[in-house]
Amino acid sequence: MDKLVSLAKRRGFVFQSSEIYGGLGSVWDYGPLGAELKRNLKERWWRAMVHEREDIEGLDAAILMHPKVWEASGHVAGFTDPLVDCRQCKNRFRADDPRLKGPPGDPETKCPVCGNKGTLTAPRMFNLMFKTFMGPVEEDAAVIYLRPETAQGIYVNYLNVLQSSRQKVPFGIAQIGKAFRNEITPGNFTFRTREFEQMEMQFFVKPGADQQWFEFWKAERMKWYQGLGIRAEKLRFHQHGPDELAHYAKDAYDIQYEFPFGWQEFEGIHNRTDFDLTRHQEYSGKKLEYVDASANERYIPYIIETSAGADRAALVLLVDAYREEQVEGETRVVLKLHPSLAPLKAAVFPLVNKDGMPELARRIYDDLRGRFNVFYDDGGSIGRRYRRQDEAGTPFGVTVDGQSTQDQTVTVRDRDTLLQERVAAGRVDEYLSARLTA
Ligand SMILES: [Zn+2]
């Protein structure tokens, strides 16, 4: 994992937030390559979940919502963790922190940070939502929250979307957006962070059809990740046991990936029943029933949710793609990213900076730039330039050499097979298109 974290920083995938000020705890920024990777991931998700499906609509709801939303959702009362404070060093721990030896509040229990005895408070409940104030006055009536999940923006817009899109149950609403949780023990690089992005789809179904749709989405989501090139043996389902199941959920599965720090969840498929819409109907006083005129029925739909972490999924892609290989007695570090997800699709190199090679290479680069995110590199030996692109996950390297200026052909190197093919300079575009969209 350390190697991946260092590559991520060195190559501009992920930087620590506000690094020049010493960093901000568990908040991360995506650099040039990381921003492209995450964007490609979100685009593929949007395409699969919205554009390719007649029965799903997109939404982009605001982060700030009416405070009543979080009362209805149960977050104000229930989104809490039991925490323990040290009165001496002011550190705060989860009550179930394995470093705590002995019951907190007991005069014999030592603080795991400063080592003092009896300085820990008894556990107290602490809400994980970030609070802020709306308007000019900082008073209780003006408290609002940064959303701790994007799902609620979908539930409160359910009627708006239903009516404006003329969809009929079963149908879904998909959204990508930021959410915030004041996690006390975040960590594992970008896995658990305080600010994160979700890719969520809420599918509204008739009660009774929920189990069938639950099975459908469960299979569909696993298939999607395998289609991104993630190794199947590193993926598995984990069904929530009775003690893990949220109080409103009828059934829930996590999709887990085998990270270097163990099997961890990065998407959940949940049968949320009619809990959410029933609660919003109760708290808003607005009828949220679905009226099926043809069957002369009315009901509150059940919701099947597919909830993925965009940052976690991006981390899965990086971890899964990272390989060290022996090539001609040297270790090569390569990110074997699916070409559709790779930040750069190709790099263009003049073998040397003379004899007309830079001119031809520039021309090819300018030509490709209109269609693909490509990179021009004329610095250092060709071997070093290839290795830099291997580390960035760039699937193709286009080299202009001595022969190129004679016969207008270039070599195209494949990142994974290392094979080089000679291709007419005027057909590089076509050659890459065929391979990048396959
Ligand atoms: Zn302490």
Side-chain angles (χ1 to χ4, degrees):
M1 199 64 197
D2 290 345
K3 284 181 182 169
L4 181 77
V5 172
S6 116
L7 175 123
K9 184 184 172 187
R10 187 171 76 246
R11 298 313 318 270
F13 281 94
V14 178
F15 305 127
Q16 194 176 13
S17 163
S18 322
E19 195 184 350
I20 60 167
Y21 289 101
L24 181 64
S26 289
V27 183
W28 301 91
D29 298 338
Y30 289 85
L33 295 183
E36 292 291 334
L37 173 67
K38 199 172 159 193
R39 197 164 161 259
N40 292 340
L41 171 70
K42 289 189 284 181
E43 270 177 16
R44 282 206 56 164
W45 186 88
W46 192 264
R47 182 154 32 104
M49 299 302 270
V50 182
H51 293 175
E52 290 176 5
R53 294 212 50 113
E54 271 183 275
D55 54 357
I56 300 180
E57 304 289 337
L59 179 75
D60 184 359
I63 287 168
L64 302 177
M65 300 183 74
H66 196 288
K68 275 261 184 197
V69 167
W70 308 111
E71 287 175 35
S73 70
H75 283 83
V76 170
F79 196 52
T80 51
D81 266 351
L83 299 176
V84 171
D85 289 303
C86 174
R87 281 183 286 257
Q88 189 61 41
C89 68
K90 311 291 179 203
N91 271 290
R92 182 169 264 181
F93 313 93
R94 284 172 66 110
D96 61 0
D97 191 318
R99 294 174 301 167
L100 295 178
K101 306 279 184 258
D106 186 289
E108 286 305 301
T109 302
K110 276 187 190 167
C111 168
V113 173
C114 68
N116 281 299
K117 255 191 206 173
T119 55
L120 299 179
T121 64
R124 288 183 296 205
M125 296 310 270
F126 176 83
N127 198 291
L128 299 182
M129 283 194 290
F130 278 96
K131 243 186 214 177
T132 187
F133 299 96
M134 186 140 151
V137 188
E138 292 195 6
E139 56 178 22
D140 285 351
V143 165
I144 57 166
Y145 303 97
L146 301 188
R147 64 182 176 193
E149 62 177 29
T150 57
Q152 301 300 328
I154 294 182
Y155 306 145
V156 301
N157 277 298
Y158 148 77
L159 271 190
N160 285 337
V161 175
L162 182 68
Q163 286 159 3
S164 59
S165 67
R166 304 174 60 86
Q167 287 281 0
K168 290 187 169 61
V169 168
F171 82 105
I173 304 175
Q175 163 165 249
I176 298 175
K178 293 262 184 152
F180 304 82
R181 292 180 191 177
N182 198 4
E183 300 275 2
I184 297 310
T185 48
N188 284 326
F189 196 34
T190 55
F191 182 78
R192 193 181 303 280
T193 55
R194 296 192 169 104
E195 172 176 344
F196 53 96
E197 201 161 15
Q198 295 185 304
M199 306 187 289
E200 290 198 322
M201 193 280 295
Q202 312 288 328
F203 204 73
F204 301 85
V205 305
K206 188 175 170 179
D210 50 308
Q211 198 51 36
Q212 168 205 337
W213 279 108
F214 181 74
E215 294 300 332
F216 173 82
W217 282 112
K218 193 180 139 217
E220 199 69 8
R221 296 303 302 148
M222 182 61 100
K223 209 164 70 192
W224 188 73
Y225 284 111
Q226 291 174 2
L228 300 182
I230 299 167
R231 289 169 290 183
E233 69 272 21
K234 294 279 188 180
L235 293 167
R236 73 175 187 195
F237 282 116
H238 165 75
Q239 185 177 19
H240 285 206
D243 52 326
E244 295 167 278
L245 214 50
H247 57 95
Y248 49 78
K250 190 167 143 189
D251 202 357
Y253 278 82
D254 291 338
I255 299 180
Q256 294 185 330
Y257 180 80
E258 191 179 18
F259 287 99
F261 46 87
W263 286 96
Q264 294 287 344
E265 179 246 334
F266 66 105
E267 168 153 350
I269 297 101
H270 311 127
N271 183 344
R272 300 182 62 119
T273 70
D274 58 2
F275 174 81
D276 306 282
L277 292 181
T278 303
R279 292 277 287 195
H280 283 301
Q281 174 166 288
E282 189 186 316
Y283 277 72
S284 68
K286 187 136 168 110
K287 272 233 171 300
L288 296 178
E289 281 176 336
Y290 177 73
V291 182
D292 183 344
S294 60
N296 198 21
E297 284 180 313
R298 44 178 68 221
Y299 54 83
I300 300 234
Y302 268 40
I303 293 174
I304 308 302
E305 165 184 73
T306 70
S307 173
D311 306 278
R312 287 185 180 187
L315 184 60
V316 167
L317 295 176
L318 283 175
V319 169
D320 198 67
Y322 184 92
R323 311 288 161 86
E324 289 179 9
E325 295 175 347
Q326 293 303 315
V327 178
E328 290 162 10
E330 273 188 65
T331 306
R332 153 175 112 120
V333 173
V334 56
L335 289 185
K336 295 203 164 176
L337 290 167
H338 190 283
S340 70
L341 297 165
L344 294 162
K345 305 307 181 193
V348 183
F349 315 111
L351 185 62
V352 289
N353 279 311
K354 57 179 186 186
D355 303 333
M357 290 181 220
E359 290 76 8
L360 178 57
R362 268 276 160 198
R363 219 159 51 232
I364 294 169
Y365 168 70
D366 286 338
D367 210 40
L368 294 174
R369 218 152 39 131
R371 295 196 53 194
F372 309 110
N373 193 29
V374 289
F375 188 75
Y376 186 85
D377 189 1
D378 59 5
S381 75
I382 191 72
R384 280 183 67 104
R385 283 183 268 167
Y386 283 150
R387 280 198 294 280
R388 282 202 288 264
Q389 293 309 315
D390 286 343
E391 279 190 343
T394 310
F396 298 103
V398 179
T399 305
V400 172
D401 56 18
Q403 191 182 326
S404 306
T405 49
Q406 308 301 313
D407 66 2
Q408 301 292 307
T409 64
V410 297
T411 65
V412 182
R413 171 188 182 266
D414 183 298
R415 174 197 72 197
D416 298 339
T417 64
L418 299 175
L419 295 176
Q420 305 205 13
E421 246 187 286
R422 279 211 94 82
V423 176
R427 301 189 60 175
V428 173
D429 185 334
E430 203 181 307
Y431 181 92
L432 294 182
S433 296
R435 281 152 187 82
L436 288 166
T437 53

